[in-house]
């Protein structure tokens, strides 16, 4: 029964020592992690709203491709169709934005409301095609006084058409600008109801290639293409090679100079960095191959879009895909990227505590024994004063009381050696006391007498 009580007391003491040692350390670690967690990036949302114009630049096709690609990484893409690039920019603007990212045509100004919109890069050339009927012309100046289909009111096509027509003074009466959508404009041009149409579309578009082969329809070649590109940085001068649409039919039958804005991916400046990198990796996969007008690896690229390049996009185009995203799945790379900051408390707190906690625990165990060394030293100092027999007996009594008290101290087995060391030291003092009580000279006294 007594053994059980001693064992229980030892267990209680050991638990108390552990709690008193570990609890402050655990509190310190928890505080360090709590402070560090404040700086941990939030997890990226697993849903994106992508705004895309219906009839511009082949955006609908690529929107579906992005939807498929991102679904493989667990990100759901909701496609929000708009009337044009202007509308798409509007969905990203303001404090109550209805979209996260959008496809837009370069040169589509967003005004002051677009202050929080950034570019993730240009994806491809989407040339401006000006098809017309009548005598050959080499610039939009020849369209003065014509009926021209320039696209819907909120489309990027209309914005670009108005810029070019306005700078040449062609947009005023008697010129008539018609807000026709793409399909309606093409049909009316074929039927002769309009004199010209402005279209923004990839060179690979079947509608463009069919219209280029339509009888009585001509494709405008911009003789002053270089001048337009210099004045409007978001436009590029491109050459459509002769016969590229149909070599057998030689369509077109001459080189055509085109003006090309770019298709661009823009986003809110609050877009999570992990999603920004995922979108740009997807862009590299979908837009990196060669086309009729694009060279292999030319896109995506940090070209002029009318919006500032995001920090993530700048790093991406300078250094490529971040290391984690290059070698790990999206979810794993994002998790590591978010939690690497947690290494700070591990290195700064846990490592020192890993050494300090065992030392503090050992000190607590030893302190129960070491404080009795003061009693032992007191008895030894009194021995030097040559006490009488009565004093020696009192000293022996105090020494035995100290030994009994120390024997009752609960000490974990791993640290029991400290208890036995103290008992050996008690025996040393006890032997000195016994020699004094028996009248035998102590060793150092005998040595002193011999020396004298």
């Amino acid at each position: 029964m007594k053994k059980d009580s001693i064992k229980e007391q030892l267990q209680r003491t050991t638990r108390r020592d552990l709690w008193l040692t570990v609890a402050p350390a655990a509190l310190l670690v928890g505080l360090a992690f709590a402070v560090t967690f404040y700086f941990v990036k939030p997890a990226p949302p697993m849903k994106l709203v992508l705004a895309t114009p219906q009839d511009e630049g082949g955006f609908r096709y690529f929107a579906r491709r992005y939807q498929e690609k991102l679904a493989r990484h667990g990100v759901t893409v909701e496609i929000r169709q708009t009337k044009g690039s202007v509308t798409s920019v509007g969905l990203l603007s303001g404090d109550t934005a209805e979209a996260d990212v959008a496809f837009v045509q370069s040169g589509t100004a967003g005004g002051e409301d677009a202050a929080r919109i950034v570019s993730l890069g240009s994806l491809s050339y989407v040339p401006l095609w000006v098809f017309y009927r009548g005598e050959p012309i080499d610039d939009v100046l020849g369209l003065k006084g014509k009926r021209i289909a320039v696209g819907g009111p909120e489309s990027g096509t209309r914005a670009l058409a108005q810029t070019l027509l306005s700078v040449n003074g062609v947009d005023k009466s008697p010129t008539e600008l018609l807000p026709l959508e793409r399909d309606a404009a093409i049909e009316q041009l074929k039927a002769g109801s309009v004199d010209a149409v402005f279209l923004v579309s990839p060179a690979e578009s079947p509608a463009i290639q069919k219209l280029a082969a339509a009888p009585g329809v001509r494709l405008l070649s911009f003789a002053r293409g270089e001048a337009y590109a210099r004045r409007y940085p978001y436009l590029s001068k491109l050459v459509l090679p002769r016969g590229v649409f149909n070599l057998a039919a030689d369509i077109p039958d001459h080189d055509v100079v085109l003006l090309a804005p770019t298709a661009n991916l823009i986003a809110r400046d609050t877009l999570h960095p992990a999603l920004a990198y995922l979108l740009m990796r997807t862009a590299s996969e979908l837009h990196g191959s060669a086309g009729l007008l694009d060279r292999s690896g030319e896109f995506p690229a940090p070209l002029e879009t009318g919006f500032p390049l995001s920090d993530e996009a700048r790093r991406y185009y300078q250094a490529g895909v971040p290391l984690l995203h290059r070698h790990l799945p999206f979810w794993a790379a994002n998790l590591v990227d978010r939690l690497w900051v947690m290494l700070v408390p591990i290195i700064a707190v846990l490592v020192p505590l890993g050494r300090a906690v065992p030392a503090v625990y050992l000190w607590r165990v030893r302190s129960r024994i070491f404080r009795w060394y003061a009693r032992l030293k007191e008895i030894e100092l009194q021995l030097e004063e040559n006490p009488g027999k009565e004093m020696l007996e009192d000293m022996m009594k105090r020494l035995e009381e100290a030994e009994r008290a120390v024997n009752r101290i609960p000490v974990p087995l791993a640290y029991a050696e400290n208890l036995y060391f103290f008992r050996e030291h008690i025996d040393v003092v006890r032997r000195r006391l016994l020699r004094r009580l028996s009248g035998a000279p102590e060793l150092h006294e005998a040595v002193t007498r011999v020396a004298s």
Side-chain angles (χ1 to χ4, degrees), residues 238-313:
L238 302 177
V239 176
L240 183 72
R242 175 179 177 176
V244 72
F245 286 159
N246 191 323
L247 289 171
D250 196 25
I251 300 174
D253 58 6
H254 61 281
D255 289 350
V256 179
V257 177
L258 301 174
L259 293 177
T262 52
N264 305 284
L265 183 61
I266 62 173
R268 292 275 296 178
D269 60 0
T270 55
L271 181 69
H272 195 284
L275 289 176
Y277 284 122
L278 181 60
L279 285 165
M280 287 183 287
R281 286 177 59 190
T282 304
S284 295
E285 295 175 14
L286 296 179
H287 305 282
S289 57
L292 291 179
L293 297 173
D294 307 335
R295 294 188 301 273
S296 178
E298 186 174 1
F299 290 100
L303 303 182
E304 174 62 39
T305 63
F307 300 96
L309 199 64
S310 74
D311 293 337
E312 291 79 19

Side-chain angles (χ1 to χ4, degrees), residues 62-82:
F62 282 111
R64 290 193 295 270
R65 294 299 308 278
Y66 275 78
Q67 189 178 50
E68 295 168 1
K69 289 282 188 180
L70 268 63
R72 299 175 186 174
H73 298 282
V75 179
T76 302
V77 176
E78 178 187 336
I79 299 175
R80 185 77 57 85
Q81 293 192 351
T82 67

